[in-house]
């Protein structure tokens, strides 16, 4: 067992459904049947068996690395001590299987006291292989380092991976995970962060493509004063299942978490799921947390589930809140825009761009802003015929 | 010359207790170049008149006609009405988060003109309009109506009137919630618009104080869903002195 795991276990045990006991042993995790709380929203039949016993092999994705100057990116062996550095212990079978099946790990290291200009981009291109791939990455921002790391997933593939993020004391790290998969891809990702004393992590998940994309992001704190900003943007099309599960475990005092996920859904059986869990432990005095999820349903036939959970073990906190909304276009907004001569289609487009614009600005990665705005535009274009039909009948 | 003609207009709105008739036969003709003030107590239906002409989906037209130079306005979609020359300044302008004023104005102007405005003159025009309304140049970068004060919202409506330059302006309680300085600024904006060739204004208000700055050609008293009396500017003075009491009593 690594030192990090031991340290994590030293905290008081919390009886919480938000915090299932993890295990590296695959067989300690039963094959999900679909009724389990953590699986009840996920279409298991479409997972190509990776939740059960489908084999993993190398070659599901081709990886290209564009490292910013000063950042080292290398491949380490599966038994390297760096695995587990974030305190990640798999809490479900897919994560445990991916852990066991990984033949190596990508290690991204940002050295102490360095401020890195520009983003380091790690691009995973799905090769269309029938066999699933198991991935592992460890991103370490050493003390007082500052950097941005972008993970991009595209093409066709079935992938289960574990992404570990370690933000050492005083470091400032942005990690963006962009799921821009082809329509048939399946991606289950477990991303876990350990945030040090007075460190900042901005974690961003952007999900556009894929048949089933399920992302679990969790964060814990290894010292007081740490801050996590967790942002998400998604666009679910007809038949797509996009699921984001967040868990912020306030394990230290004076820590902060701010979660904002926004998504748009369009088309028959487009399905988005957002679960936002926050646990405030007894020792986490003086913390501040807020989580928010907003869904904009653009057409009939789309469905969103949004479940915020807050479990509080101490009342000695600065603030804790959440908001969740699932709505359609606001008639008053559309009327206002249209009364200025703007067509219904154009008015809807403006509203959707506006819905995402604030969030895109908050992501704060210039290399991505334009790309995200144009992807939103492209997603809207898919649906433009439906919008125009509505225009004609309005 | 253009004319907005409203004839025997009846309008209802859906409520929990079924359809409720709000406008009970409104007839009014506004020729180009004219300013009409519609005055009336709360709940008389005067705002409903403005929203019905603009095409708000909440209101159902149950009878009558609205034509603009003979064209059937009621057949037009909301944006077609704007393209035909109608503009509605709202009592409670709607927030559109994430859409900047600059982007909104440019999109609207492009839609109305059928082509994008010339960049060089456009920036100057927008800044000029903002300046006239005492709005800071950074105002253009803010999201439409989001976090605006009541006065900023109204001044933003009049800046749009200036820039979009419609033929007919329907101004719904543009004076409500304004302090005296803001009222003067807004009134000047409306008067500048009226000074342009052939512009018409339908000014809907509860109070007479805006009529100290904007002199209407015609004044109509609106009570219980219809026009109770029409007259010249002196009718406003009489209302200022005596209020709506005699009309409300008669209407009931």
């Amino acid at each position: 067992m690594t030192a990090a795991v031991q340290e994590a276990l030293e905290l008081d045990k919390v009886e919480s459904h938000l915090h299932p006991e993890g295990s590296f042993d695959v067989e300690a995790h039963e094959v999900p049947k679909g009724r389990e709380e953590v699986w009840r929203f996920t279409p298991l039949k479409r997972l190509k068996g990776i939740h059960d016993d489908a084999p993993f092999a190398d070659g599901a994705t081709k990886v290209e690395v564009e490292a910013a100057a000063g950042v080292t990116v290398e491949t380490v062996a599966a038994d390297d001590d760096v695995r587990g550095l974030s305190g990640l212990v798999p809490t479900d079978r897919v994560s445990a299987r991916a852990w066991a099946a990984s033949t190596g790990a990508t290690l991204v290291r940002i050295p102490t006291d360095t401020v890195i200009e520009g983003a380091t981009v790690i691009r995973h291109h799905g090769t269309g292989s029938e066999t699933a791939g198991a991935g592992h990455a460890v991103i370490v921002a050493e003390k007082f380092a500052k950097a941005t790391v972008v993970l991009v997933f595209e093409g066709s593939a079935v992938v289960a991976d574990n992404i570990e993020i370690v933000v050492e004391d005083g470091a400032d790290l942005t990690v963006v995970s962009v799921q821009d998969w082809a329509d048939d891809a399946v991606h289950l990702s477990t991303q876990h962060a350990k945030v040090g004393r007075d460190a900042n992590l901005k974690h961003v998940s952007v999900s556009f493509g894929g048949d089933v994309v399920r992302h679990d992001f969790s964060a814990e704190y290894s010292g007081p004063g740490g801050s996590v900003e967790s942002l998400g943007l998604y666009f679910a099309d007809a038949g797509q299942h996009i699921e984001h599960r967040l868990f912020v475990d306030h394990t230290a005092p004076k820590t902060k978490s701010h979660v904002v996920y926004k998504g748009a859904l369009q088309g028959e059986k487009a399905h988005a799921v957002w679960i936002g869990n926050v646990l405030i432990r007894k020792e986490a005095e003086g913390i501040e947390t807020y989580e928010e999820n907003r869904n904009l349903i653009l057409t009939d036939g789309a469905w969103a589930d949004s479940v915020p959970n807050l479990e509080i073990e101490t009342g000695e906190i600065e603030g804790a809140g959440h908001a969740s909304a699932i709505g359609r276009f606001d008639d008053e907004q559309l009327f206002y825009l249209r009364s200025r001569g703007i067509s219904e289609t154009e008015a809807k487009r403006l509203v959707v761009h506006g819905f995402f614009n604030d969030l895109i600005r908050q992501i704060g990665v210039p290399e991505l802003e334009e790309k995200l705005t144009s992807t939103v535009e492209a997603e809207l274009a898919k649906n433009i015929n439906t919008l125009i039909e509505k225009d004609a009948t309005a | 010359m253009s004319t907005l003609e409203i004839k025997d207009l009846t309008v209802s709105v859906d409520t929990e207790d079924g359809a409720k008739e709000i406008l009970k036969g409104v007839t009014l003709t506004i020729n180009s170049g004219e300013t009409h003030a519609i005055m009336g107590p709360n709940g008389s239906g005067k705002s409903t008149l403005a929203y019905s002409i603009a095409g708000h989906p909440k209101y159902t037209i149950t009878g009558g006609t609205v034509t603009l130079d003979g064209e059937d306005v009621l057949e037009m979609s909301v944006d077609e009405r704007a393209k035909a020359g109608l503009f509605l300044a709202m009592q409670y302008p709607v927030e559109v988060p994430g859409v900047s004023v600059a982007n909104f104005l440019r999109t609207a102007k492009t839609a109305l003109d059928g082509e994008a405005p010339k960049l060089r003159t456009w920036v100057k025009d927008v800044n000029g309009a903002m300046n006239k309304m005492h709005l800071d140049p950074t105002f253009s970068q803010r999201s439409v109506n989001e976090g605006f004060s009541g006065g900023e919202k109204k001044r933003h409506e009049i800046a749009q009137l200036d820039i979009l330059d419609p033929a007919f302006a329907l101004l719904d309680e543009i004076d409500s919630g304004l302090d005296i300085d803001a009222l003067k600024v807004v009134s000047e904006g409306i008067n500048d618009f009226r000074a342009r060739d052939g512009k018409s204004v339908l000014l809907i208000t509860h109070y007479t104080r805006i009529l100290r700055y904007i002199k209407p050609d015609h004044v109509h008293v609106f009570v219980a869903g219809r026009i109770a009396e029409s007259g010249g500017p002196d009718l406003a003075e009489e209302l200022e002195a005596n209020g709506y009491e005699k009309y409300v009593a008669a209407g009931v």
Side-chain angles (χ1 to χ4, degrees):
Chain A
M1 196 178 282
T2 65
V5 172
Q6 273 163 356
E7 193 186 315
L9 292 175
E10 275 166 22
L11 283 167
D12 279 353
K13 282 247 160 76
V14 177
E15 295 288 331
S16 168
H17 77 280
L18 301 183
H19 196 249
E21 202 72 4
S23 172
F24 291 100
D25 177 9
V26 172
E27 294 316 317
H29 303 276
E30 278 183 41
V31 178
K33 297 279 186 287
R35 296 232 174 121
E36 302 80 359
E37 177 58 32
V38 298
W39 290 105
R40 68 188 176 103
F41 293 108
T42 315
L44 296 174
K45 282 190 183 134
R46 285 153 63 185
L47 299 187
K48 314 269 184 193
I50 54 175
H51 63 297
D52 191 346
D53 58 1
F56 287 104
D58 288 342
T61 59
K62 243 175 34 203
V63 180
E64 270 173 63
V65 178
E66 303 156 32
V71 176
T72 59
V73 182
E74 57 185 316
T75 305
V76 298
D79 62 357
D80 196 292
D81 276 351
V82 81
R83 289 223 300 168
L85 200 59
S86 71
L88 193 164
V89 183
T91 54
D92 67 56
R93 186 174 171 94
V94 176
S95 170
R97 292 194 71 226
W99 190 291
S102 298
T103 54
T106 305
L107 173 64
V108 181
R109 195 178 278 280
I110 302 113
T112 307
D113 278 325
T114 33
V115 174
I116 305 295
E117 297 287 334
T120 294
V121 182
I122 303 174
R123 206 172 285 279
H124 300 75
H125 193 86
T127 55
S129 163
E130 291 289 312
T131 312
H136 198 112
V138 183
I139 302 165
V140 182
E142 295 183 352
K143 282 181 183 167
F144 304 105
K146 183 172 184 201
T148 297
V149 177
V150 180
L151 309 170
V152 179
F153 298 90
E154 53 199 11
S156 292
V158 178
V159 171
D161 59 16
N162 289 294
I163 312 284
E164 299 190 73
I165 300 163
V166 179
V167 194
E168 293 186 359
D169 295 353
D172 185 344
L173 179 66
T174 297
V175 175
V176 187
S177 185
V178 183
Q179 291 67 244
D180 198 10
W181 292 108
D183 287 345
D184 58 349
V186 174
H187 186 198
L188 271 67
S189 188
T190 302
Q191 311 202 350
H192 182 75
K194 176 178 272 189
V195 179
R197 184 186 183 99
D198 299 327
N200 290 310
L201 170 66
K202 188 190 281 185
H203 179 274
V204 185
S205 182
V206 179
S207 302
F208 287 116
D211 179 48
V212 179
V213 171
R214 174 177 152 139
H215 266 226
D216 291 33
F217 169 67
S218 54
E220 62 178 289
Y221 301 83
S222 57
S227 169
V228 173
E229 190 179 8
S230 163
L231 306 175
L233 190 163
Y234 50 92
F235 214 123
D237 290 334
Q240 248 187 324
H241 178 92
I242 294 183
E243 179 167 351
H244 294 99
R245 309 181 70 91
L246 291 303
F247 175 46
V248 181
D249 191 355
H250 280 276
T251 46
K254 300 272 182 198
T255 50
K256 282 187 189 166
S257 61
H258 192 95
V259 178
V260 184
Y261 269 65
K262 282 183 165 187
L265 296 86
Q266 61 182 5
E268 273 306 311
K269 302 214 165 107
H271 189 198
V273 178
W274 180 85
I275 311 293
N277 293 331
V278 174
L279 173 60
I280 304 170
R281 294 185 186 240
K282 215 182 301 156
E283 50 273 69
E285 291 189 354
I287 68 101
E288 237 183 289
T289 175
Y290 186 75
E291 46 171 2
E292 177 182 346
N293 173 230
R294 297 196 183 278
N295 294 281
L296 191 53
I297 309 271
L298 306 185
T299 68
D300 289 341
W303 183 260
D305 288 290
S306 179
V307 188
N309 291 309
L310 190 53
E311 206 163 291
I312 305 180
E313 304 264 313
T314 174
E316 301 296 314
I317 57 170
E318 285 293 312
H322 57 225
S324 156
I326 301 167
R328 289 172 175 273
F329 282 113
D330 178 352
D331 283 345
E332 296 298 326
Q333 272 181 358
L334 295 182
F335 175 71
Y336 186 74
L337 295 169
R338 295 181 68 197
S339 75
R340 269 55 176 156
I342 299 167
S343 72
E344 187 178 6
T345 307
E346 191 68 18
K348 286 181 171 175
R349 184 185 276 158
L350 270 182
V351 169
V352 175
H353 275 293
F355 178 72
F356 285 125
N357 270 350
D358 287 346
L359 191 66
I360 291 173
R361 268 197 295 268
Q362 282 177 57
I363 291 171
V365 180
E367 292 94 327
L368 269 178
E369 273 184 34
E370 204 175 312
K371 153 88 181 145
L372 291 180
T373 307
S374 64
T375 308
V376 168
E377 187 58 43
E379 289 287 341
L380 281 173
K382 287 184 194 168
N383 200 41
I384 212 76
N385 290 334
T386 324
L387 293 175
I388 286 170
E389 274 165 34
K390 286 222 170 125
D391 242 9
T393 56
Chain B
M1 263 321 257
S2 53
T3 306
L4 182 71
E5 225 175 341
I6 303 158
K7 262 191 203 159
D8 300 321
L9 188 67
T10 57
V11 172
S12 72
V13 63
D14 284 334
T15 69
E16 283 173 10
D17 309 320
K20 187 181 172 217
E21 191 171 55
I22 307 216
L23 297 189
K24 297 169 180 169
V26 179
T27 298
L28 179 65
T29 300
I30 303 171
N31 296 307
S32 63
E34 291 179 354
T35 295
H36 291 238
I38 288 197
M39 307 194 56
N42 287 332
S44 58
K46 55 192 192 301
S47 289
T48 299
L49 177 63
Y51 280 85
S52 301
I53 296 169
H56 194 288
K58 188 173 138 191
Y59 302 100
T60 310
I61 312 292
T62 51
T65 57
V66 179
T67 57
L68 185 57
D69 296 331
E71 296 280 326
D72 186 353
V73 170
L74 301 178
E75 276 297 303
M76 299 177 193
S77 69
V78 177
D79 41 296
E80 281 168 351
R81 296 179 199 207
K83 286 181 188 137
L86 293 173
F87 175 88
L88 171 65
M90 296 185 199
Q91 185 180 0
Y92 303 109
V94 184
E95 294 182 3
V96 191
V99 176
S100 70
V101 168
N103 190 9
F104 164 61
L105 290 174
R106 197 176 159 75
T107 307
K109 189 69 174 170
T110 305
L112 289 170
D113 292 359
E115 59 176 354
K118 300 267 177 297
L119 200 59
R120 198 186 307 164
T121 49
W122 174 246
V123 174
K124 221 178 79 194
D125 289 350
V126 170
N127 288 343
M130 294 297 167
N131 198 25
K132 268 196 264 175
M133 284 299 109
H134 298 206
L135 294 166
D136 193 88
T138 59
F139 194 80
S140 295
Q141 297 314 315
R142 291 171 66 183
S143 291
V144 172
N145 292 318
E146 196 181 44
F148 290 12
S149 69
E152 281 173 337
K153 284 183 183 169
K154 297 302 177 71
R155 284 181 280 150
H156 176 226
E157 295 289 283
I158 300 305
Q160 291 172 50
L161 178 68
D162 183 359
I163 294 163
L164 302 180
D165 194 32
F168 282 85
L170 310 163
L171 309 176
D172 184 28
E173 308 219 12
I174 195 74
D175 51 337
S176 70
L178 293 182
D179 63 28
I180 194 72
D181 291 331
L183 180 65
K184 282 182 188 167
V185 170
V186 161
S187 299
E188 268 171 44
I190 296 166
N191 284 330
D192 280 355
F193 171 75
R194 292 170 71 211
R196 294 178 195 169
D197 203 24
K199 302 294 181 186
S200 313
V201 173
L202 182 65
L203 183 70
I204 292 169
T205 180
H206 180 76
Y207 304 103
T208 50
R209 64 176 188 153
I210 194 170
L211 303 182
R212 285 177 221 151
Y213 306 102
I214 298 170
K215 291 289 165 222
D217 304 300
H218 302 273
V219 175
H220 311 276
V221 184
F222 207 82
V223 179
R226 53 169 68 94
I227 291 171
E229 189 175 351
S230 297
D234 44 334
L235 181 54
E237 281 158 36
E238 193 199 313
L239 286 170
E240 166 114 45
N242 302 324
Y244 297 115
E245 228 161 85
K246 80 172 190 196
Y247 301 104
V248 176
V252 175

